[in-house]
mmCIF file of all heavy atoms in Angstrom:
data_model
loop_
_atom_site.group_PDB
_atom_site.id
_atom_site.type_symbol
_atom_site.label_atom_id
_atom_site.label_comp_id
_atom_site.label_asym_id
_atom_site.label_seq_id
_atom_site.Cartn_x
_atom_site.Cartn_y
_atom_site.Cartn_z
ATOM 1 N N GLY A 25 117.619 157.473 93.046
ATOM 2 C CA GLY A 25 117.951 158.614 93.887
ATOM 3 C C GLY A 25 116.807 159.207 94.678
ATOM 4 O O GLY A 25 116.117 158.490 95.416
ATOM 5 N N PRO A 26 116.550 160.526 94.541
ATOM 6 C CA PRO A 26 115.610 161.224 95.426
ATOM 7 C C PRO A 26 114.171 160.734 95.348
ATOM 8 O O PRO A 26 113.378 161.027 96.247
ATOM 9 C CB PRO A 26 115.713 162.689 94.952
ATOM 10 C CG PRO A 26 117.039 162.786 94.289
ATOM 11 C CD PRO A 26 117.266 161.445 93.655
ATOM 12 N N ASP A 27 113.807 159.989 94.289
ATOM 13 C CA ASP A 27 112.436 159.486 94.197
ATOM 14 C C ASP A 27 112.101 158.515 95.320
ATOM 15 O O ASP A 27 110.931 158.267 95.609
ATOM 16 C CB ASP A 27 112.207 158.807 92.840
ATOM 17 C CG ASP A 27 112.179 159.799 91.697
ATOM 18 O OD1 ASP A 27 112.222 161.014 91.965
ATOM 19 O OD2 ASP A 27 112.115 159.369 90.539
ATOM 20 N N GLY A 28 113.114 157.932 95.956
ATOM 21 C CA GLY A 28 112.901 157.145 97.159
ATOM 22 C C GLY A 28 112.523 155.697 96.930
ATOM 23 O O GLY A 28 112.455 155.200 95.801
ATOM 24 N N GLY A 29 112.258 155.015 98.053
ATOM 25 C CA GLY A 29 112.047 153.577 98.038
ATOM 26 C C GLY A 29 110.875 153.108 97.212
ATOM 27 O O GLY A 29 110.887 151.991 96.701
ATOM 28 N N SER A 30 109.841 153.924 97.082
ATOM 29 C CA SER A 30 108.678 153.499 96.291
ATOM 30 C C SER A 30 109.021 153.342 94.816
ATOM 31 O O SER A 30 108.370 152.576 94.101
ATOM 32 C CB SER A 30 107.536 154.509 96.454
ATOM 33 O OG SER A 30 107.918 155.780 95.935
ATOM 34 N N HIS A 31 110.042 154.067 94.346
ATOM 35 C CA HIS A 31 110.405 154.036 92.931
ATOM 36 C C HIS A 31 111.724 153.318 92.660
ATOM 37 O O HIS A 31 112.091 153.132 91.497
ATOM 38 C CB HIS A 31 110.504 155.466 92.388
ATOM 39 C CG HIS A 31 109.183 156.109 92.114
ATOM 40 N ND1 HIS A 31 108.196 156.212 93.067
ATOM 41 C CD2 HIS A 31 108.679 156.687 90.989
ATOM 42 C CE1 HIS A 31 107.147 156.835 92.549
ATOM 43 N NE2 HIS A 31 107.417 157.123 91.289
ATOM 44 N N GLN A 32 112.430 152.915 93.685
ATOM 45 C CA GLN A 32 113.721 152.235 93.509
ATOM 46 C C GLN A 32 113.479 150.733 93.401
ATOM 47 O O GLN A 32 113.426 150.023 94.399
ATOM 48 C CB GLN A 32 114.651 152.578 94.673
ATOM 49 C CG GLN A 32 115.095 154.028 94.673
ATOM 50 C CD GLN A 32 115.758 154.452 95.961
ATOM 51 O OE1 GLN A 32 115.971 153.641 96.865
ATOM 52 N NE2 GLN A 32 116.081 155.726 96.080
ATOM 53 N N MET A 33 113.354 150.260 92.176
ATOM 54 C CA MET A 33 113.014 148.858 91.946
ATOM 55 C C MET A 33 114.223 147.976 92.206
ATOM 56 O O MET A 33 115.251 148.080 91.528
ATOM 57 C CB MET A 33 112.515 148.665 90.516
ATOM 58 C CG MET A 33 111.993 147.268 90.237
ATOM 59 S SD MET A 33 110.729 146.768 91.427
ATOM 60 C CE MET A 33 109.936 145.431 90.575
ATOM 61 N N LEU A 34 114.104 147.082 93.195
ATOM 62 C CA LEU A 34 115.188 146.202 93.614
ATOM 63 C C LEU A 34 114.827 144.726 93.470
ATOM 64 O O LEU A 34 115.576 143.867 93.933
ATOM 65 C CB LEU A 34 115.562 146.497 95.073
ATOM 66 C CG LEU A 34 116.021 147.929 95.354
ATOM 67 C CD1 LEU A 34 116.126 148.177 96.851
ATOM 68 C CD2 LEU A 34 117.349 148.197 94.665
ATOM 69 N N GLU A 35 113.706 144.456 92.858
ATOM 70 C CA GLU A 35 113.236 143.076 92.742
ATOM 71 C C GLU A 35 113.030 142.631 91.294
ATOM 72 O O GLU A 35 112.570 141.519 91.041
ATOM 73 C CB GLU A 35 111.910 142.903 93.503
ATOM 74 C CG GLU A 35 111.930 143.351 94.954
ATOM 75 C CD GLU A 35 111.660 144.853 95.115
ATOM 76 O OE1 GLU A 35 110.867 145.402 94.322
ATOM 77 O OE2 GLU A 35 112.254 145.465 96.014
ATOM 78 N N ASP A 36 113.332 143.476 90.334
ATOM 79 C CA ASP A 36 112.973 143.214 88.946
ATOM 80 C C ASP A 36 113.752 142.067 88.314
ATOM 81 O O ASP A 36 113.189 141.279 87.549
ATOM 82 C CB ASP A 36 113.114 144.479 88.101
ATOM 83 C CG ASP A 36 114.469 145.161 88.263
ATOM 84 O OD1 ASP A 36 114.962 145.241 89.408
ATOM 85 O OD2 ASP A 36 115.039 145.629 87.264
ATOM 86 N N ILE A 37 115.041 141.949 88.629
ATOM 87 C CA ILE A 37 115.804 140.823 88.074
ATOM 88 C C ILE A 37 115.208 139.508 88.560
ATOM 89 O O ILE A 37 115.052 138.557 87.786
ATOM 90 C CB ILE A 37 117.292 140.923 88.459
ATOM 91 C CG1 ILE A 37 117.929 142.166 87.830
ATOM 92 C CG2 ILE A 37 118.054 139.670 88.026
ATOM 93 C CD1 ILE A 37 119.355 142.430 88.290
ATOM 94 N N ALA A 38 114.855 139.469 89.840
ATOM 95 C CA ALA A 38 114.243 138.266 90.404
ATOM 96 C C ALA A 38 112.945 137.921 89.683
ATOM 97 O O ALA A 38 112.704 136.756 89.323
ATOM 98 C CB ALA A 38 113.976 138.471 91.893
ATOM 99 N N LEU A 39 112.115 138.926 89.448
ATOM 100 C CA LEU A 39 110.827 138.696 88.792
ATOM 101 C C LEU A 39 111.005 138.208 87.351
ATOM 102 O O LEU A 39 110.306 137.299 86.900
ATOM 103 C CB LEU A 39 110.000 139.983 88.794
ATOM 104 C CG LEU A 39 109.462 140.471 90.133
ATOM 105 C CD1 LEU A 39 108.833 141.851 89.971
ATOM 106 C CD2 LEU A 39 108.447 139.488 90.700
ATOM 107 N N MET A 40 111.931 138.811 86.644
ATOM 108 C CA MET A 40 112.071 138.516 85.221
ATOM 109 C C MET A 40 112.826 137.217 84.955
ATOM 110 O O MET A 40 112.496 136.472 84.035
ATOM 111 C CB MET A 40 112.756 139.679 84.508
ATOM 112 C CG MET A 40 111.934 140.960 84.467
ATOM 113 S SD MET A 40 110.389 140.835 83.529
ATOM 114 C CE MET A 40 109.184 140.701 84.865
ATOM 115 N N ARG A 41 113.840 136.904 85.757
ATOM 116 C CA ARG A 41 114.661 135.735 85.428
ATOM 117 C C ARG A 41 113.930 134.422 85.686
ATOM 118 O O ARG A 41 114.300 133.387 85.123
ATOM 119 C CB ARG A 41 115.984 135.775 86.185
ATOM 120 C CG ARG A 41 115.966 135.366 87.641
ATOM 121 C CD ARG A 41 117.388 135.397 88.210
ATOM 122 N NE ARG A 41 117.466 134.929 89.580
ATOM 123 C CZ ARG A 41 117.690 133.658 89.932
ATOM 124 N NH1 ARG A 41 117.849 132.730 89.005
ATOM 125 N NH2 ARG A 41 117.754 133.322 91.206
ATOM 126 N N VAL A 42 112.898 134.447 86.501
ATOM 127 C CA VAL A 42 112.180 133.211 86.791
ATOM 128 C C VAL A 42 111.182 132.841 85.691
ATOM 129 O O VAL A 42 110.698 131.713 85.642
ATOM 130 C CB VAL A 42 111.449 133.332 88.155
ATOM 131 C CG1 VAL A 42 110.215 134.208 88.040
ATOM 132 C CG2 VAL A 42 111.102 131.966 88.717
ATOM 133 N N LEU A 43 110.907 133.772 84.777
ATOM 134 C CA LEU A 43 109.892 133.524 83.757
ATOM 135 C C LEU A 43 110.430 132.666 82.611
ATOM 136 O O LEU A 43 111.473 132.983 82.034
ATOM 137 C CB LEU A 43 109.389 134.849 83.176
ATOM 138 C CG LEU A 43 108.504 135.685 84.095
ATOM 139 C CD1 LEU A 43 108.260 137.069 83.493
ATOM 140 C CD2 LEU A 43 107.177 134.978 84.349
ATOM 141 N N PRO A 44 109.743 131.590 82.256
ATOM 142 C CA PRO A 44 110.145 130.813 81.083
ATOM 143 C C PRO A 44 110.150 131.696 79.831
ATOM 144 O O PRO A 44 109.312 132.594 79.685
ATOM 145 C CB PRO A 44 109.061 129.738 80.985
ATOM 146 C CG PRO A 44 108.523 129.620 82.377
ATOM 147 C CD PRO A 44 108.581 130.996 82.946
ATOM 148 N N ASN A 45 111.109 131.451 78.952
ATOM 149 C CA ASN A 45 111.281 132.146 77.674
ATOM 150 C C ASN A 45 111.866 133.551 77.788
ATOM 151 O O ASN A 45 112.179 134.170 76.765
ATOM 152 C CB ASN A 45 109.961 132.230 76.879
ATOM 153 C CG ASN A 45 109.406 130.872 76.522
ATOM 154 O OD1 ASN A 45 110.164 129.945 76.244
ATOM 155 N ND2 ASN A 45 108.090 130.732 76.539
ATOM 156 N N MET A 46 112.015 134.085 79.004
ATOM 157 C CA MET A 46 112.559 135.430 79.171
ATOM 158 C C MET A 46 114.079 135.392 79.282
ATOM 159 O O MET A 46 114.631 134.575 80.018
ATOM 160 C CB MET A 46 111.982 136.090 80.427
ATOM 161 C CG MET A 46 112.465 137.526 80.657
ATOM 162 S SD MET A 46 111.906 138.666 79.385
ATOM 163 C CE MET A 46 110.264 139.068 80.020
ATOM 164 N N ARG A 47 114.746 136.284 78.563
ATOM 165 C CA ARG A 47 116.184 136.486 78.707
ATOM 166 C C ARG A 47 116.420 137.824 79.394
ATOM 167 O O ARG A 47 115.687 138.788 79.144
ATOM 168 C CB ARG A 47 116.866 136.433 77.333
ATOM 169 C CG ARG A 47 117.007 134.996 76.827
ATOM 170 C CD ARG A 47 117.014 134.904 75.331
ATOM 171 N NE ARG A 47 115.702 135.223 74.788
ATOM 172 C CZ ARG A 47 115.415 135.171 73.488
ATOM 173 N NH1 ARG A 47 116.353 134.820 72.627
ATOM 174 N NH2 ARG A 47 114.211 135.470 73.051
ATOM 175 N N VAL A 48 117.449 137.889 80.237
ATOM 176 C CA VAL A 48 117.654 139.045 81.106
ATOM 177 C C VAL A 48 119.044 139.636 80.877
ATOM 178 O O VAL A 48 120.055 138.947 81.065
ATOM 179 C CB VAL A 48 117.482 138.657 82.590
ATOM 180 C CG1 VAL A 48 117.734 139.858 83.491
ATOM 181 C CG2 VAL A 48 116.085 138.085 82.841
ATOM 182 N N LEU A 49 119.080 140.913 80.505
ATOM 183 C CA LEU A 49 120.326 141.621 80.233
ATOM 184 C C LEU A 49 120.433 142.853 81.127
ATOM 185 O O LEU A 49 119.481 143.620 81.243
ATOM 186 C CB LEU A 49 120.390 142.067 78.761
ATOM 187 C CG LEU A 49 120.245 140.968 77.706
ATOM 188 C CD1 LEU A 49 120.184 141.585 76.313
ATOM 189 C CD2 LEU A 49 121.385 139.967 77.798
ATOM 190 N N VAL A 50 121.606 143.037 81.759
ATOM 191 C CA VAL A 50 121.842 144.186 82.640
ATOM 192 C C VAL A 50 123.141 144.856 82.208
ATOM 193 O O VAL A 50 124.224 144.512 82.692
ATOM 194 C CB VAL A 50 121.900 143.763 84.123
ATOM 195 C CG1 VAL A 50 122.018 145.001 85.014
ATOM 196 C CG2 VAL A 50 120.667 142.955 84.508
ATOM 197 N N PRO A 51 123.082 145.808 81.273
ATOM 198 C CA PRO A 51 124.302 146.440 80.766
ATOM 199 C C PRO A 51 124.973 147.340 81.787
ATOM 200 O O PRO A 51 124.313 147.982 82.609
ATOM 201 C CB PRO A 51 123.806 147.228 79.559
ATOM 202 C CG PRO A 51 122.350 147.462 79.812
ATOM 203 C CD PRO A 51 121.868 146.266 80.573
ATOM 204 N N ALA A 52 126.304 147.414 81.699
ATOM 205 C CA ALA A 52 127.102 148.160 82.668
ATOM 206 C C ALA A 52 127.320 149.613 82.272
ATOM 207 O O ALA A 52 127.612 150.440 83.134
ATOM 208 C CB ALA A 52 128.458 147.492 82.864
ATOM 209 N N ASP A 53 127.238 149.928 80.983
ATOM 210 C CA ASP A 53 127.435 151.309 80.557
ATOM 211 C C ASP A 53 126.659 151.560 79.279
ATOM 212 O O ASP A 53 125.939 150.681 78.774
ATOM 213 C CB ASP A 53 128.928 151.637 80.404
ATOM 214 C CG ASP A 53 129.591 150.968 79.200
ATOM 215 O OD1 ASP A 53 128.937 150.150 78.516
ATOM 216 O OD2 ASP A 53 130.779 151.259 78.941
ATOM 217 N N TYR A 54 126.811 152.775 78.758
ATOM 218 C CA TYR A 54 126.066 153.195 77.577
ATOM 219 C C TYR A 54 126.358 152.292 76.371
ATOM 220 O O TYR A 54 125.439 151.862 75.667
ATOM 221 C CB TYR A 54 126.429 154.644 77.262
ATOM 222 C CG TYR A 54 125.912 155.163 75.950
ATOM 223 C CD1 TYR A 54 124.609 155.629 75.827
ATOM 224 C CD2 TYR A 54 126.737 155.193 74.823
ATOM 225 C CE1 TYR A 54 124.129 156.108 74.618
ATOM 226 C CE2 TYR A 54 126.271 155.669 73.612
ATOM 227 C CZ TYR A 54 124.964 156.131 73.512
ATOM 228 O OH TYR A 54 124.498 156.599 72.312
ATOM 229 N N THR A 55 127.620 151.969 76.146
ATOM 230 C CA THR A 55 127.998 151.125 75.015
ATOM 231 C C THR A 55 127.390 149.732 75.135
ATOM 232 O O THR A 55 126.876 149.174 74.157
ATOM 233 C CB THR A 55 129.531 151.037 74.905
ATOM 234 O OG1 THR A 55 130.057 152.349 74.689
ATOM 235 C CG2 THR A 55 129.956 150.130 73.758
ATOM 236 N N ALA A 56 127.448 149.166 76.330
ATOM 237 C CA ALA A 56 126.846 147.850 76.553
ATOM 238 C C ALA A 56 125.330 147.900 76.389
ATOM 239 O O ALA A 56 124.720 146.948 75.886
ATOM 240 C CB ALA A 56 127.216 147.339 77.936
ATOM 241 N N ALA A 57 124.717 149.011 76.803
ATOM 242 C CA ALA A 57 123.263 149.157 76.651
ATOM 243 C C ALA A 57 122.874 149.205 75.180
ATOM 244 O O ALA A 57 121.875 148.593 74.767
ATOM 245 C CB ALA A 57 122.791 150.407 77.375
ATOM 246 N N GLN A 58 123.657 149.918 74.372
ATOM 247 C CA GLN A 58 123.404 149.928 72.933
ATOM 248 C C GLN A 58 123.422 148.504 72.369
ATOM 249 O O GLN A 58 122.540 148.110 71.600
ATOM 250 C CB GLN A 58 124.473 150.762 72.219
ATOM 251 C CG GLN A 58 124.332 152.258 72.340
ATOM 252 C CD GLN A 58 125.388 152.971 71.512
ATOM 253 O OE1 GLN A 58 126.589 152.680 71.621
ATOM 254 N NE2 GLN A 58 124.970 153.891 70.674
ATOM 255 N N ALA A 59 124.437 147.749 72.768
ATOM 256 C CA ALA A 59 124.581 146.378 72.276
ATOM 257 C C ALA A 59 123.429 145.496 72.742
ATOM 258 O O ALA A 59 122.932 144.654 71.981
ATOM 259 C CB ALA A 59 125.915 145.802 72.730
ATOM 260 N N ALA A 60 122.991 145.682 74.000
ATOM 261 C CA ALA A 60 121.895 144.876 74.528
ATOM 262 C C ALA A 60 120.594 145.154 73.788
ATOM 263 O O ALA A 60 119.841 144.224 73.443
ATOM 264 C CB ALA A 60 121.726 145.163 76.019
ATOM 265 N N ILE A 61 120.306 146.428 73.533
ATOM 266 C CA ILE A 61 119.078 146.794 72.821
ATOM 267 C C ILE A 61 119.115 146.260 71.402
ATOM 268 O O ILE A 61 118.125 145.718 70.889
ATOM 269 C CB ILE A 61 118.898 148.326 72.846
ATOM 270 C CG1 ILE A 61 118.654 148.800 74.280
ATOM 271 C CG2 ILE A 61 117.749 148.764 71.930
ATOM 272 C CD1 ILE A 61 118.882 150.275 74.498
ATOM 273 N N ARG A 62 120.257 146.383 70.754
ATOM 274 C CA ARG A 62 120.396 145.890 69.381
ATOM 275 C C ARG A 62 120.244 144.362 69.330
ATOM 276 O O ARG A 62 119.561 143.831 68.441
ATOM 277 C CB ARG A 62 121.758 146.316 68.825
ATOM 278 C CG ARG A 62 122.045 145.852 67.409
ATOM 279 C CD ARG A 62 123.305 146.488 66.880
ATOM 280 N NE ARG A 62 123.099 147.914 66.634
ATOM 281 C CZ ARG A 62 122.570 148.419 65.514
ATOM 282 N NH1 ARG A 62 122.220 147.590 64.525
ATOM 283 N NH2 ARG A 62 122.425 149.713 65.357
ATOM 284 N N TYR A 63 120.858 143.665 70.279
ATOM 285 C CA TYR A 63 120.754 142.209 70.295
ATOM 286 C C TYR A 63 119.304 141.769 70.518
ATOM 287 O O TYR A 63 118.808 140.856 69.842
ATOM 288 C CB TYR A 63 121.643 141.628 71.388
ATOM 289 C CG TYR A 63 121.582 140.123 71.494
ATOM 290 C CD1 TYR A 63 122.189 139.311 70.543
ATOM 291 C CD2 TYR A 63 120.896 139.511 72.542
ATOM 292 C CE1 TYR A 63 122.124 137.927 70.623
ATOM 293 C CE2 TYR A 63 120.824 138.127 72.634
ATOM 294 C CZ TYR A 63 121.432 137.339 71.671
ATOM 295 O OH TYR A 63 121.357 135.973 71.753
#
């Protein structure tokens, strides 16, 4: 939001998914986020 373009990270999935051994999770809501952190 108001923090603007300098703080709105739009490239992080790209950076993380290309790394060997890294798994990438993007939860859709609070319940999914709980499950992702626990997993």
Side-chain angles (χ1 to χ4, degrees):
D27 290 354
S30 63
H31 283 55
Q32 292 167 4
M33 186 54 161
L34 301 170
E35 307 85 34
D36 51 318
I37 296 173
L39 290 172
M40 293 296 103
R41 78 177 184 91
V42 75
L43 288 171
N45 299 324
M46 182 65 84
R47 283 152 291 183
V48 179
L49 303 174
V50 185
D53 71 354
Y54 171 82
T55 299
Q58 284 184 309
I61 294 162
R62 179 171 290 276
Y63 179 73

